Amino acid sequence: MTEQHSHQFERGTDGPKVIVVGVDGSDSSLRAAAYAGGLARRQGALLAVVYVQPVLAGGAALGVSVAETTDEIAEELVTQIREATEQVKGIFDIRWEFHTFRGDPYSGLVQTADELKADAVVVGASEQAGHRFVGSVAVRLVKSGRWPVTVVP
């Protein structure tokens, strides 16, 4: 037994409603955030900005407080986003929220995209040379085939 649904096209409502963008403070991730922000603004979508704080076991051995450092990065990213939002307030309105937690960037983006029922994921191209051979977060997201993925250089 099959169900038939009557779908009518509605102008302006056929785009993404939730866009997830991964940021880590790198230039390419900030360009990805800017791109995703423009897309979210034009589509009237929610922009979910995700920073996954890496868990570096080696950092503790070096006497570096990794948790404090990644918390500082998260706070700095939120400050940058708030400042950018304030600069365009009244000109462009955009709904956004910030998510951060510790772990693997790929898993964090997948978890957030699943929880928010994302329509699209945007990430910056990896700036690490080794990722050309091993595979980056972007490649893993594309291979998962679960959402349209835009990779911003």
Side-chain angles (χ1 to χ4, degrees):
M1 179 159 85
T2 61
E3 290 183 32
Q4 290 185 340
H5 296 281
S6 173
H7 294 290
Q8 287 189 334
F9 176 79
E10 296 180 47
R11 187 176 311 267
T13 62
D14 59 333
K17 293 298 172 207
V18 177
I19 300 169
V20 170
V21 62
V23 295
D24 62 8
S26 67
D27 288 343
S28 67
S29 78
L30 296 177
R31 286 190 295 270
Y35 176 86
L39 182 60
R41 178 187 55 80
R42 289 186 298 277
Q43 295 294 328
L46 170 67
L47 178 63
V49 181
V50 179
Y51 170 59
V52 181
Q53 302 177 36
V55 177
L56 304 173
L62 298 172
V64 177
S65 175
V66 176
E68 285 180 24
T69 302
T70 58
D71 285 345
E72 288 173 14
I73 293 169
E75 289 174 21
E76 185 177 315
L77 289 169
V78 170
T79 300
Q80 288 178 3
I81 296 163
R82 282 196 178 113
E83 287 172 358
T85 304
E86 281 298 313
Q87 288 175 355
V88 297
K89 195 171 189 171
I91 302 168
F92 301 121
D93 289 320
I94 184 168
R95 293 180 304 126
W96 65 276
E97 53 189 46
F98 185 78
H99 301 261
T100 186
F101 39 95
R102 289 182 171 78
D104 169 56
Y106 170 79
S107 299
L109 288 168
V110 167
Q111 178 183 339
T112 304
D114 281 345
E115 286 176 5
L116 297 176
K117 297 181 178 29
D119 298 300
V121 177
V122 180
V123 292
S126 176
E127 295 180 356
Q128 296 180 14
H131 284 175
R132 292 189 187 114
F133 304 106
V134 178
S136 65
V137 171
V139 169
R140 291 171 67 192
L141 287 167
V142 170
K143 284 183 177 181
S144 76
R146 295 166 70 177
W147 317 269
V149 177
T150 301
V151 183
V152 177

